[in-house]
Amino acid sequence: MPIDGLFSSTIDILSKNIDLRAKQHNLVSSNIANAETPNYVPKALVFEDELQGAIKGNPTTTGSTTNPRHIPLKGGGGTIHSVQGQVIESPAKTPGKDGNAVELEGEMSRMVENQILYNASVQILTKKFEGLRTAIKGQQ
């Protein structure tokens, strides 16, 4: 149950970003695990534009839901909590003879990039909570 108003939107954004980065990590791990599977097509989670649209609250480009029973528009979410991302296929430019489209070097670089962004989000979120703790304790 979210507690609206207690924390700033920064914490919601960072926690959603961490959740989506964890999902992206699972997809990349799955791609690497299937690097030898015939006819396997790698997948990726695309969520950056959807998350930015939810942050900006731009209903003209992303759509907006004002009721939990509304059907969200594809590619956009009304709130940060509704951002789920979209799983897309991301095949290599030159698939192997067995039809496998995983490019191991590309997947490894995507994993490293995703890990760096995940760690940065966790560090920022940690600092945010440290600031809240300091404010609650009344320390300087």
Side-chain angles (χ1 to χ4, degrees):
M1 179 170 110
I3 301 172
D4 293 336
L6 181 60
F7 301 114
S8 68
S9 62
T10 305
I11 291 175
D12 289 338
I13 295 166
L14 289 170
S15 63
K16 181 53 99 175
N17 189 40
I18 289 169
D19 289 345
L20 294 169
R21 293 270 169 221
K23 288 180 183 176
Q24 175 70 355
H25 183 84
N26 288 338
L27 283 174
V28 174
S29 296
S30 177
N31 293 340
I32 292 170
N34 288 294
E36 300 294 325
T37 304
N39 299 318
Y40 181 80
V41 178
K43 296 170 183 60
L45 182 68
V46 177
F47 64 91
E48 289 86 0
D49 290 341
E50 186 180 354
L51 185 59
Q52 283 185 354
I55 292 169
K56 292 177 182 174
N58 189 356
T60 59
T61 58
T62 61
S64 171
T65 57
T66 56
N67 186 309
R69 296 177 66 189
H70 288 168
I71 299 171
L73 297 175
K74 185 176 180 180
T79 64
I80 293 168
H81 297 288
S82 66
V83 175
Q84 297 297 315
Q86 182 179 7
V87 177
I88 61 167
E89 292 185 344
S90 58
K93 292 178 182 172
T94 55
K97 291 180 180 177
D98 62 354
N100 185 300
V102 176
E103 188 177 61
L104 202 53
E105 294 83 12
E107 295 300 323
M108 294 301 287
S109 67
R110 283 190 348 180
M111 180 175 270
V112 168
E113 177 187 359
N114 190 57
Q115 185 68 47
I116 290 169
L117 294 172
Y118 178 90
N119 288 345
S121 296
V122 169
Q123 287 178 351
I124 294 169
L125 192 58
T126 301
K127 290 290 183 190
K128 197 80 172 162
F129 281 117
E130 286 176 3
L132 286 172
R133 183 174 25 173
T134 301
I136 291 170
K137 287 183 175 181
Q139 298 174 342
Q140 295 180 8

